Amino acid sequence: MNIRHAPFAAIVLAIGLIFGDAARAQSPSPQAPNNPTTAPALQQPTEPPSVATTQPQAENAPPPAPQAPVISAQPSSPPAAPPATVHPVSPPMMAPAATTIPGVGPETSATLPTVVVTSDLNQARNQIFSSIGADSYTINAQQIQSIPEGTNAPFQQVLLRMPSVVADSFGQEHVRGEHANLTYDINGVLLPEAINTFGQELDSRVIQSVTLIDGSLPAEYGLHTAGIIDVTTKSGSTMPYNEVSLYGGGYNTFEPSVQLGGVSGKFDYYFMGDYKHDDVGIENPTPSYRPTHDDTNQERGFLYLSYHIDDTSRVSLLANGSYQDFQLPNTPGVSPAFALASVPVANSILDNANQNEQDYYGVISYQKSADDLNLQASYFSRFGQIHFVPDIPNDLIFQGVASDVLNGTTTNGFQFDASYNLSKDHTLRFGGIAEYEAENLDTANSVFPVDSTGAQTSAVPFVITDESGNEALTTSVYVQDEWKLTDKLILNYGARFDDYDANFDKENQFSPRVNLVWKADNLTTLHGGYSRYFVPPPPQNTPPATINKFVGTTNAPQVFTDTPPLVEHSDYFDVGVSRQLAKGWKVDGDAFYKFSRNLIDEGQFGTPVIFSPFNYSVGHVNGAEISSTYDQNGFSAFGNFAWVNTEATGVASQQYLFAADELAWIDSHNVKLDHESQYTASAGVSYSWRNDRVYVDMLYGSGLRSGFANLDIEPQYYPVNIGWEHVFRPGGMDRGMVRLRVDVLNLFDESYQLRSGTGIGVSAPQYGLRRAIEMGLAYDF
């Protein structure tokens, strides 16, 4: 463990121990989390809650049987505001109902005004951000506890339990056969795309619920449209207790964290701090159990503040920061490719390349709900940076180039969204977003000179420096109408206009959207839709002047064509059905097709783990998925299966990234996208009772593409995970409880390869994590 980072871990624990009592003293009674997803008007009927689960509980009365985790999947439909007197049911293994104060029985329960205000405003925000006709899949904070590592899991692992989400290396995930192209929506604010790769800055601990929205999206969602990762964060009003935890085990994992939250009058606050160290920061490039030179130290902090101006308005501040160091793992036995003066012998296992990733963002929002009008206005700012530091001697000997790379982006923007109830049959939604992004890339490249045949002519390297930058202004406006044609049929139609103005490309598009939702009977809902999409590229363009600097060196490309990245234009079709088969058992099916011009993809084309965008001239993506959930009497199960097919032809931009023979092949053949996994599945079962939870969980992938022009396929994989959690309740009370969990990752120690180091835009092999046993303790106070 790096000693430099030890003080942060101590601070995280100290905050919880020193300020926990003060934070609790300012907080009202423990409250159940607000459900961020309101009941859809066309959703299948559910069983009415029992009296035992809706009434406040006495201090020592046993809580309702904990609900085992369920991943909900359904076509989104219009939300209906619940009655004001209905309060959320207490989540499993957490606090009593929101209206109960510890030590006070039902006859003296107290309703707190701030709770009602918070709930009403959250419901109003859901009215603004409707996704009628799209597909949505939700996991809440309690369901996260029944995936491997629970809230200690990287955010990628949460998303992989949703349909059509494919695992890739460096913490990446792909949705419905697309690379990246995801929008992260945090409390209703669309954050600009980050440049980080394997350092995921969002911590699973801060999630109250996360919903993947994909398919044919309504007009309010644009720009990055493969999926909307809609995150509702925890707040003081949804935190039942403060918490300090320690998690660790295999691969020298050490992860302390603290969560503090509460409500004081009109002020609501929540803080999370986390530190992590382990020996597998990036996937192992070999099938061995433990990689060499792969330590990581990661620090994250999250803050949410909210002030209720009155019962109909609030202002909130959201801030998040992450600082993460990674060693790049080494591959033994690599043969030297170049000669370096004064270094006659080199060993690839001793390479010492490192990468630092930082990401910071802040959002300030004002929300107002008055009669038929709901609105939210936000200003956001984000800074991200990646710094790759090479091992100059070894990188020169094995690769012929050693590049010190500093890549950063700064984004500032404003977003406005509103809904207005025109009548009982029409709800109008409208808004827009404007953001300005500046990117800089500074490099210092040590290279060797070569002759016209590419042969090295000197063992003495020299340095080529380059400083470049790009900027882009993106603006969008939209309007849509939710029209209730009948009690069983709803049409959601609208359009948006997007404009992208970068120093290397200027394009715009008018994009119509239409979705239809039909409730065929009390158990069956069907939906279908069409959307036109406009997807701008990341502002990462390498100008020809930079490429020409490397003529006659070991870093010269085979092709010098350099068309700037282009906006992707596409047409998207989606149809689906949802059916309640029996009590607690639900099945969803969906099919989709996308046709793209200038389809955007990204690849790692060098040693630094920095992805470069490029366009295919034409692309096709189609597929189907089915998901099922079951939840009854403490037993829960979920299963997802997806099939996807991708094709692309021609490289329309950044051609210099490709070898000449591969570029010629792509221009004349349909090729698979490197992130295609033709078949993907996830499944899990769990059982919960008062003080215990057990689960079994697995993922399946048929293999990503590999080889020349992606003609080959990686082997399939299916790691299985198991876990157990037990709650100790001193004195039979919830407050002061201690949660012990044990997770066994990759139970059967399957050795599986995610990447072979071949394929379009793939530069290094990566293997999945071998067996690991992790344990954690969490104290709620």
Side-chain angles (χ1 to χ4, degrees), residues 195 407 439 470 504 537-542 565 602 610-613 654:
I195 63 169
N407 190 201
E439 182 252 6
N470 298 284
F504 54 84
Q540 294 171 281
N541 174 51
T542 302
E602 296 181 351
I610 298 175
F611 286 80
S612 301
Q654 306 283 272

Side-chain angles (χ1 to χ4, degrees), residues 170-509:
F170 306 136
Q172 298 178 95
E173 61 277 335
H174 308 295
V175 177
R176 290 193 169 189
E178 299 196 47
H179 184 102
N181 192 22
L182 297 172
T183 292
Y184 285 82
D185 184 323
I186 312 295
N187 293 342
V189 180
L190 306 180
L191 292 183
E193 191 175 23
I195 63 169
N196 65 330
T197 49
F198 43 82
Q200 295 186 30
E201 76 279 4
L202 188 62
D203 195 295
S204 298
R205 288 179 183 82
V206 310
I207 296 172
Q208 185 64 30
S209 71
V210 55
T211 300
L212 170 63
I213 305 171
D214 55 19
S216 175
L217 301 176
E220 63 191 296
Y221 297 110
L223 303 180
H224 302 294
T225 50
I228 311 299
I229 311 299
D230 184 9
V231 176
T232 298
T233 67
K234 294 177 181 176
S235 64
S237 60
T238 61
M239 278 288 292
Y241 304 114
N242 299 314
E243 179 183 283
V244 61
S245 69
L246 179 63
Y247 189 79
Y251 301 100
N252 289 328
T253 300
F254 174 70
E255 187 169 6
S257 67
V258 64
Q259 299 182 71
L260 302 173
V263 177
S264 179
K266 296 183 177 181
F267 183 66
D268 182 311
Y269 62 94
Y270 169 75
F271 167 79
M272 187 284 302
D274 170 75
Y275 165 79
K276 181 179 182 179
H277 168 88
D278 66 42
D279 296 344
V280 194
I282 306 175
E283 287 84 3
N284 193 343
T286 73
S288 63
Y289 177 80
R290 188 179 297 275
T292 302
H293 191 262
D294 201 10
D295 286 9
T296 182
N297 293 286
Q298 305 174 21
E299 301 162 7
R300 299 184 184 90
F302 177 89
L303 177 67
Y304 174 83
L305 303 174
S306 175
Y307 180 78
H308 290 81
I309 301 171
D310 53 42
D311 287 356
T312 65
S313 60
R314 67 179 166 186
V315 61
S316 60
L317 171 68
L318 184 153
N320 188 84
S322 63
Y323 185 97
Q324 304 172 80
D325 289 320
F326 297 88
Q327 295 177 333
L328 269 67
N330 297 334
T331 303
V334 178
S335 300
F338 299 89
L340 175 62
S342 74
V343 184
V345 179
N347 187 346
S348 61
I349 203 65
L350 301 178
D351 194 82
N352 186 31
N354 297 270
Q355 186 156 308
N356 170 265
E357 298 196 1
Q358 301 179 49
D359 195 273
Y360 309 93
Y361 61 81
V363 178
I364 185 167
S365 299
Y366 170 76
Q367 184 185 349
K368 177 70 175 180
S369 178
D371 298 326
D372 292 323
L373 177 66
N374 299 298
L375 64 86
Q376 178 169 282
S378 303
Y379 171 80
F380 56 85
S381 182
R382 184 168 196 165
F383 170 77
Q385 177 179 283
I386 297 176
H387 187 196
F388 173 78
V389 181
D391 182 326
I392 294 178
N394 280 317
D395 284 6
L396 280 169
I397 291 172
F398 294 109
Q399 302 170 52
V401 58
S403 300
D404 189 302
V405 180
L406 181 64
N407 190 201
T409 61
T410 302
T411 306
N412 290 280
F414 177 80
Q415 179 182 341
F416 174 82
D417 300 276
S419 68
Y420 184 77
N421 296 323
L422 294 172
S423 67
K424 66 181 182 67
D425 295 328
H426 290 272
T427 300
L428 186 69
R429 294 181 173 90
F430 56 94
I433 187 172
E435 65 179 46
Y436 172 79
E437 184 171 9
E439 182 252 6
N440 66 280
L441 178 63
D442 299 334
T443 63
N445 309 275
S446 298
V447 294
F448 294 115
V450 297
D451 60 21
S452 59
T453 66
Q456 182 180 358
T457 59
S458 172
V460 178
F462 63 98
V463 177
I464 297 175
T465 61
D466 184 74
E467 296 181 5
S468 61
N470 298 284
E471 57 185 4
L473 174 64
T474 306
T475 54
S476 306
V477 293
Y478 72 88
V479 62
Q480 66 187 54
D481 177 34
E482 173 194 330
W483 183 7
K484 297 180 181 178
L485 299 170
T486 71
D487 290 341
K488 295 180 179 295
L489 189 64
I490 289 183
L491 177 68
N492 193 41
Y493 64 99
R496 64 182 292 125
F497 180 80
D498 300 292
D499 183 82
Y500 181 72
D501 187 359
N503 61 301
F504 54 84
D505 185 39
K506 180 174 175 58
E507 300 182 57
N508 56 56
Q509 178 177 286

Side-chain angles (χ1 to χ4, degrees), residues 748-764:
F748 301 109
D749 197 26
E750 178 188 358
S751 177
Y752 61 97
Q753 183 171 277
L754 290 171
R755 293 290 192 184
S756 63
T758 64
I760 298 173
V762 180
S763 295

Side-chain angles (χ1 to χ4, degrees), residues 705-774:
R705 308 299 299 195
S706 63
F708 176 82
N710 294 338
L711 294 175
D712 300 326
I713 303 176
E714 299 287 4
Q716 63 181 350
Y717 58 89
Y718 33 84
V720 176
N721 315 285
I722 62 172
W724 166 68
E725 183 181 53
H726 178 74
V727 177
F728 300 92
R729 305 175 189 268
M733 297 177 60
D734 288 337
R735 186 172 294 285
M737 65 182 177
V738 176
R739 290 182 286 114
L740 168 68
R741 71 174 294 135
V742 179
D743 297 290
V744 183
L745 312 181
N746 196 351
L747 174 65
F748 301 109
D749 197 26
E750 178 188 358
S751 177
Y752 61 97
Q753 183 171 277
L754 290 171
R755 293 290 192 184
S756 63
T758 64
I760 298 173
V762 180
S763 295
Q766 293 104 24
Y767 284 78
L769 186 74
R770 300 288 295 273
R771 183 190 295 128
I773 300 176
E774 312 282 357

Side-chain angles (χ1 to χ4, degrees), residues 512-536:
R513 311 281 181 87
V514 59
N515 283 289
L516 193 66
V517 180
W518 176 44
K519 184 178 179 181
D521 55 44
N522 290 335
L523 301 176
T524 309
T525 301
L526 296 92
H527 71 279
Y530 161 78
S531 294
R532 192 180 187 198
Y533 290 148
F534 176 93
V535 182

Side-chain angles (χ1 to χ4, degrees), residues 617-686:
S617 299
V618 176
H620 301 263
V621 179
N622 62 287
E625 62 191 30
I626 185 170
S627 63
S628 181
T629 59
Y630 179 83
D631 182 24
Q632 196 70 21
N633 300 324
F635 176 80
S636 177
F638 76 91
N640 304 305
F641 178 80
W643 164 79
V644 69
N645 175 67
T646 67
E647 289 184 348
T649 307
V651 177
S653 68
Q654 306 283 272
Q655 295 87 346
Y656 76 93
L657 296 170
F658 297 82
D661 56 349
E662 194 168 50
L663 185 66
W665 177 275
I666 298 171
D667 285 341
S668 58
H669 296 79
N670 284 332
V671 298
K672 297 290 187 178
L673 303 181
D674 71 279
H675 48 267
E676 179 194 288
S677 180
Q678 189 172 22
Y679 301 106
T680 305
S682 60
V685 296
S686 63

